[in-house]
Amino acid sequence: MNNRIKILVTGTAGFIGFHLVKRLLAEGYEVIGLDNINDYYDVHLKYVRLKETGIAEGEIEYGKLVQSTTFERYRFVKANLEDREFLEKLFAAEKFDVVVNLAAQAGVRYSIENPHAYVDSNLIGFMNILECCRHNKIKHLVYASSSSVYGNSDKVPFSEYDRVDYPISLYAATKKANELMAHTYSHLYQLPTTGLRFFTVYGPYGRPDMAPILFAKAITEGKPIKVFNNGDLSRDFTYIDDIIEGVVRVMNHIPNENKQQPYYQLFNIGHSQPVQLMDFIHTMEDAIGKKAILEMYPMQQGDVKTTYADTSDLDSAVGYKQTTDLKEGLGKFAAWYKKY
């Protein structure tokens, strides 16, 4: 039991945050979850995730810590990262040991329509997290970056040592900015920070704006799937359990002064086996038990053709291994989807 370690996880009504909270609670950590429950996608799924961790929708109001009815060591609060005053009070009162910042305005395509949402959450919000971590002597800040920082790089697999100076979406630019901001705080204030560049995460309770749920829904309902770039895309699909295993290992691997870049580290976290979009669709068809209707479209603005993670640094640092192949992962996802 980790009786003495208290963790703040932001974005806990979200996909990765929800799964991380369940894992941390199972391991005996004390956790406070934070999320603004925005309507970027259907909030019903967010409340379903919260309910799974014992947080009742009727109890939630802005700024109020809600005690889980399922987990004695879990509380949740609805709040915005942009709310500096609230965050400062929360950090001062709760005395966190570790912060895992997964809250962010997500989505590449949405950033073209709603740029200000990304500045508010991903830049101002992240700045507030950094300041609170600095002033409250947080032992380790782990934060979500994204594979989108690599842009349309032709060099594969993507390595943490590649230059990432050419983002092709505002979302990607804000994630790159987070890495730079974290590096500055690690350098100036010896704040240990670790950035995780996530590669296409999927699994039960996943985001409904991403391919797995969009495709499953269309196949189930007999509606056409939109296939971009005429199917000539590949993604490093990574099952949620593998992602969570990596996050927990990294959380306990705190960067120190004995590094080339003291107190700062950055890792890819993916499957390292890109899957062609058409192969993904065929595997999904098998999992659902029904054929897909396909509609071909050109490349979407801000999208990238390939994502492919080199995870050798993560492996050497924490022994990270991906254990869930696509067939198994989509099988588990489809079983959940049919029930949901």
Side-chain angles (χ1 to χ4, degrees):
M1 292 284 279
N2 300 280
N3 293 319
R4 296 187 179 172
I5 297 180
K6 184 189 281 192
I7 303 174
L8 172 67
V9 181
T10 71
T12 50
F15 174 34
I16 301 174
F18 158 71
H19 284 278
L20 180 61
V21 162
K22 290 210 303 181
R23 171 70 181 269
L24 293 175
L25 292 169
E27 293 196 3
Y29 292 97
E30 182 178 350
V31 182
I32 288 182
L34 181 150
D35 201 293
N36 68 357
I37 319 178
N38 69 20
D39 61 358
Y40 165 61
Y41 59 77
D42 182 12
V43 295
H44 172 69
L45 179 56
K46 298 185 179 187
Y47 285 118
V48 167
R49 293 181 188 129
L50 288 169
K51 187 179 177 184
E52 281 283 309
T53 54
I55 306 296
E57 182 177 349
E59 291 291 309
I60 297 169
E61 56 185 76
Y62 191 91
K64 171 191 168 187
L65 277 164
V66 179
Q67 174 62 49
S68 167
T69 56
T70 311
F71 299 99
E72 182 188 342
R73 304 172 71 82
Y74 183 49
R75 289 173 291 156
F76 172 82
V77 63
K78 178 179 179 178
N80 290 313
L81 293 187
E82 308 93 279
D83 189 342
R84 189 167 94 194
E85 187 180 350
F86 174 80
L87 273 190
E88 288 171 350
K89 287 177 181 172
L90 181 71
F91 271 75
E94 295 297 335
K95 309 283 189 256
F96 302 112
D97 297 294
V98 173
V99 174
V100 183
N101 184 54
L102 301 174
Q105 180 55 63
V108 169
R109 290 164 195 159
Y110 188 73
S111 66
I112 292 166
E113 302 155 33
N114 297 277
H116 290 290
Y118 292 78
V119 172
D120 291 344
S121 179
N122 301 6
L123 297 181
I124 296 170
F126 189 64
M127 179 67 194
N128 290 341
I129 289 284
L130 285 169
E131 275 289 276
C132 286
C133 288
R134 165 166 88 105
H135 289 297
N136 291 276
K137 306 295 183 210
I138 299 301
K139 295 182 179 72
H140 194 190
L141 167 62
V142 180
Y143 63 94
S145 186
S146 168
S147 62
S148 66
V149 301
Y150 291 106
N152 257 329
S153 174
D154 292 327
K155 178 189 165 295
V156 292
F158 298 160
S159 162
E160 296 92 340
Y161 305 99
D162 297 343
R163 287 188 63 175
V164 288
D165 299 330
Y166 306 103
I168 60 170
S169 70
L170 181 65
Y171 170 68
T174 63
K175 288 300 184 180
K176 170 62 177 169
N178 287 171
E179 296 174 2
L180 294 170
M181 293 159 76
H183 184 274
T184 303
Y185 270 67
S186 294
H187 172 74
L188 288 176
Y189 309 115
Q190 293 75 59
L191 171 66
T193 69
T194 302
L196 292 172
R197 291 174 174 171
F198 291 113
F199 282 70
T200 319
V201 190
Y202 74 98
Y205 297 92
R207 276 172 36 201
D209 61 315
M210 292 186 70
I213 286 190
L214 290 173
F215 290 1
K217 188 171 191 292
I219 293 170
T220 304
E221 296 174 0
K223 293 178 180 173
I225 288 174
K226 290 183 177 180
V227 181
F228 293 104
N229 206 38
N230 298 303
D232 186 18
L233 296 171
S234 62
R235 291 288 180 268
D236 202 341
F237 290 101
T238 315
Y239 190 66
I240 184 64
D241 291 359
D242 292 341
I243 288 285
I244 297 304
E245 180 64 33
V247 173
V248 172
R249 289 183 182 218
V250 161
M251 213 178 71
N252 294 306
H253 181 78
I254 303 174
N256 56 36
E257 74 273 16
N258 302 316
K259 284 174 62 67
Q260 195 171 2
Q261 300 192 62
Y263 302 102
Y264 176 84
Q265 57 193 8
L266 192 60
F267 294 118
N268 288 332
I269 183 164
H271 194 70
S272 297
Q273 290 182 357
V275 174
Q276 285 290 326
L277 183 59
M278 295 311 298
D279 292 339
F280 180 84
I281 291 169
H282 295 324
T283 309
M284 178 72 84
E285 289 173 329
D286 292 343
I288 298 287
K290 194 175 175 184
K291 282 287 179 190
I293 302 164
L294 307 180
E295 278 185 1
M296 298 301 184
Y297 287 83
M299 192 72 159
Q300 282 273 95
Q301 192 180 16
D303 228 340
V304 299
K305 190 174 176 183
T306 300
T307 64
Y308 181 179
D310 175 351
T311 58
S312 53
D313 269 18
L314 187 60
D315 182 17
S316 62
V318 300
Y320 173 74
K321 288 281 189 290
Q322 318 83 343
T323 60
T324 312
D325 67 25
L326 188 70
K327 185 178 179 182
E328 181 190 353
L330 279 183
K332 291 177 178 178
F333 164 78
W336 165 80
Y337 183 80
K338 287 169 185 174
K339 282 196 289 186
Y340 173 74

